[in-house]
Amino acid sequence: MPHSTPRYLAEGPRVAIRHFAPEDGPEFTARARESKDLHRPWLFPPDTEDAYAGYAARLLEDPARAGFLVCEKDSGDIAGFININNIVRGGFQCGALGYGAFAHAAGRGLMREGLALVISYAFGPLGLHRLEINAQPGNAASLALARGAGFRREGFSPAMIHIDGAWRDHERWALTAEMRPGGRPPATD
């Protein structure tokens, strides 16, 4: 798929992260449609242009959200996405991560690399102190990504999030700035 010059926020060996843009709609929605078998029943990313437009606008305009596309550096192709939702400032400085790989990129370690970049960005330029991941117990890939990124399991919440017409149980995982090697809490105002 053709790509314009990327505006990367951070780069790793194989992937880079950047914010969502309105012009990403055709590629994002095509990837979402190709990935339905991978995502269901855990995840329902927008798979139409109209749905994407609203989704991207919320990520770009709402200060309580930050959205990142994980892109392959060689091709610029979108490998997946990682969003920080429910960002709370003040004494909390926390956000909740949501993410998904697209089928063509799944199992290649690209999301692990992308997640490391988003974590660094969250604890650096965004000034967050804590990130949380809530994953359904049967979602082995999501739990493995959380565990591999150094998140610790903090608990289990029955009927926590309404997904696909039902309240779903979730494991709660978290990472703080201090838990990372060389990590320290961000300065507060």
Side-chain angles (χ1 to χ4, degrees):
M1 296 184 181
H3 298 278
S4 60
T5 304
R7 302 161 306 279
Y8 294 135
L9 301 167
E11 296 185 35
R14 298 181 300 151
V15 302
I17 59 170
R18 64 179 175 82
H19 289 299
F20 282 71
E23 60 270 17
D24 293 315
E27 181 182 1
F28 189 97
T29 57
R31 298 284 186 204
R33 288 188 301 273
E34 293 166 1
S35 303
K36 279 189 178 185
D37 289 343
L38 175 67
H39 292 157
R40 300 300 190 261
W42 322 113
L43 188 61
F44 298 82
D47 61 2
T48 67
E49 293 280 334
D50 286 343
Y52 174 84
Y55 178 79
R58 287 187 298 277
L59 289 168
L60 293 167
E61 297 166 7
D62 184 348
R65 299 175 190 221
F68 304 91
L69 294 173
V70 177
C71 301
E72 296 183 65
K73 281 176 46 177
D74 290 344
S75 64
D77 289 349
I78 299 171
F81 56 96
I82 302 170
N83 300 329
I84 307 174
N85 301 299
N86 308 321
I87 296 172
V88 179
R89 295 297 184 172
F92 204 43
Q93 297 297 336
C94 181
L97 294 175
Y99 46 79
F102 289 127
H104 75 283
R108 296 172 42 204
L110 302 177
M111 289 300 289
R112 184 177 304 262
E113 187 178 323
L115 181 56
L117 295 172
V118 169
I119 290 168
S120 292
Y121 191 83
F123 290 152
L126 287 181
L128 296 179
H129 173 255
R130 178 182 171 89
L131 293 171
E132 299 176 353
I133 292 173
N134 298 299
Q136 292 180 59
N139 190 342
S142 186
L143 293 171
L145 189 59
R147 192 177 299 107
F151 284 70
R152 70 174 171 234
R153 186 178 188 272
E154 291 190 332
F156 178 82
S157 296
M160 181 180 185
I161 302 174
H162 196 262
I163 299 173
D164 195 27
W167 289 98
R168 309 291 179 181
D169 298 344
H170 281 72
E171 290 187 21
R172 295 185 334 289
W173 294 72
L175 179 71
T176 63
E178 297 91 345
M179 290 169 61
R180 300 189 68 218
R184 57 187 164 278
T188 58
D189 295 336

